[in-house]
Amino acid sequence: MTQPTDIRRALALRLLDGYCCQGGAGKGYHDAGFEVTGVDKDPQTRYPLAFHQGDAIEFIREFGAGFDFIHVSPPCQHDSDCQRIQGNTHPDLIAPTRNALNATGRPWTMENVRGAAAKLQSPVVLCGTMFGLKTYRHRYFETGGGFTLTQPEHPAHTAPQAKMGRPVPAGYFGQYVGNFSGVQQARNILEVPWMNRDGIRECVPPAYTRYIGRVAQAHLRPALGVTA
Ligand SMILES: C[S@@+](CC[C@H](N)C(=O)[O-])C[C@H]1O[C@@H](n2cnc3c(N)ncnc32)[C@H](O)[C@@H]1O
């Protein structure tokens, strides 16, 4: 039997995880209490939540308004340092994705890497040190649709960083990019035990979106007239 909308809302708010890959971001929102649906153009057999294969912008335009909150991570290859060095070109999906998000009328956040930060509007940066993780992995988050994030205090980077993709000496923080070594270590550090190397190099650590998800729950629930 289909439950009335307000009863389903009291159980779980619905979140669309666009460009979901293996679900680092999605897992954090799930932990924060959202019912998460991921969308990716490629099959994602490791995605740990409900999944739909398809184009993210088309999906947002058709179904986005039916979700309580939307997160997107447009591919960062267009902007990442290692891709630029290799001369690879990828479409820039940031502006068309923002247009689709704004058309839904729903609150949203759009995540990306440092190389794309200039294309994001007033982004907040999150760092592993804010959540007790032994990685810096900066990720930038633009918000819209009436949702805002306050920039958390950014702890000083006191541990040295291993070189990109290289084994991580004791006492160092790793940079798990490219064809990095130490998949099991990266799973432990980033808290993504279900992922392989392909997912880990792309992922938002779930701790980041667990934090955003809790802020989003506090923003959404009073407006929807439901309690935690
Ligand atoms: C940076 S990864 C996302 C990482 C994810 N947020 C996480 O935390 O694990 C970007 C993903 O976008 C997907 N992608 C690229 N173009 C797409 C499109 N047009 N529609 C849907 N997914 C797309 C890629 O297959 C890739 O999995």
Side-chain angles (χ1 to χ4, degrees):
M1 189 180 87
T2 306
Q3 293 165 323
T5 303
D6 55 344
I7 293 178
R8 276 189 281 117
R9 285 192 189 289
L11 296 174
L13 300 177
R14 299 185 68 220
L15 184 140
L16 171 57
D17 178 17
Y19 307 93
C20 65
C21 198
Q22 294 181 11
K27 174 65 163 59
Y29 289 115
H30 170 79
D31 293 346
F34 283 98
E35 181 186 299
V36 177
T37 300
V39 178
D40 201 286
K41 70 176 177 46
D42 294 333
Q44 296 292 351
T45 55
R46 289 175 185 260
Y47 191 73
L49 303 160
F51 176 73
H52 173 85
Q53 186 177 354
D55 179 78
I57 293 177
E58 285 177 14
F59 193 91
I60 292 166
R61 289 204 175 277
E62 193 166 354
F63 303 109
F67 288 82
D68 295 297
F69 192 88
I70 307 173
H71 167 101
V72 288
S73 293
C76 53
Q77 287 88 346
H78 183 84
D79 296 288
S80 68
D81 293 339
C82 54
Q83 292 289 327
R84 230 184 336 261
I85 290 162
Q86 289 167 16
N88 294 344
T89 56
H90 294 266
D92 185 357
L93 295 170
I94 289 178
T97 302
R98 181 187 294 117
N99 290 339
L101 291 167
N102 282 330
T104 67
R106 309 307 303 162
W108 54 265
T109 185
M110 175 157 56
E111 173 268 333
N112 227 289
V113 294
R114 180 177 56 91
K119 294 180 194 166
L120 300 180
Q121 295 169 0
S122 306
V124 162
V125 62
L126 297 184
C127 170
T129 57
M130 296 170 184
F131 308 102
L133 303 183
K134 292 184 175 176
T135 180
Y136 297 127
R137 189 168 279 218
H138 287 176
R139 290 293 184 267
Y140 294 78
F141 296 86
E142 176 181 338
T143 57
F147 178 66
T148 56
L149 279 173
T150 305
Q151 175 63 60
E153 188 188 336
H154 196 161
H157 292 190
T158 52
Q161 272 203 116
K163 289 192 173 136
M164 281 190 177
R166 301 302 298 275
V168 184
Y172 281 61
F173 283 8
Q175 298 195 67
Y176 307 106
V177 298
N179 193 31
F180 70 88
S181 53
V183 168
Q184 189 54 49
Q185 181 193 54
R187 284 179 178 141
N188 296 341
I189 298 282
L190 301 177
E191 301 175 342
V192 289
W194 68 94
M195 287 192 187
N196 64 13
R197 182 182 276 113
D198 296 337
I200 293 169
R201 74 165 72 89
E202 301 283 345
C203 79
V204 177
Y208 295 16
T209 46
R210 200 179 302 134
Y211 166 74
I212 297 173
R214 286 176 183 149
V215 178
Q217 290 271 350
H219 168 83
L220 285 163
R221 287 193 173 272
L224 293 170
V226 295
T227 51

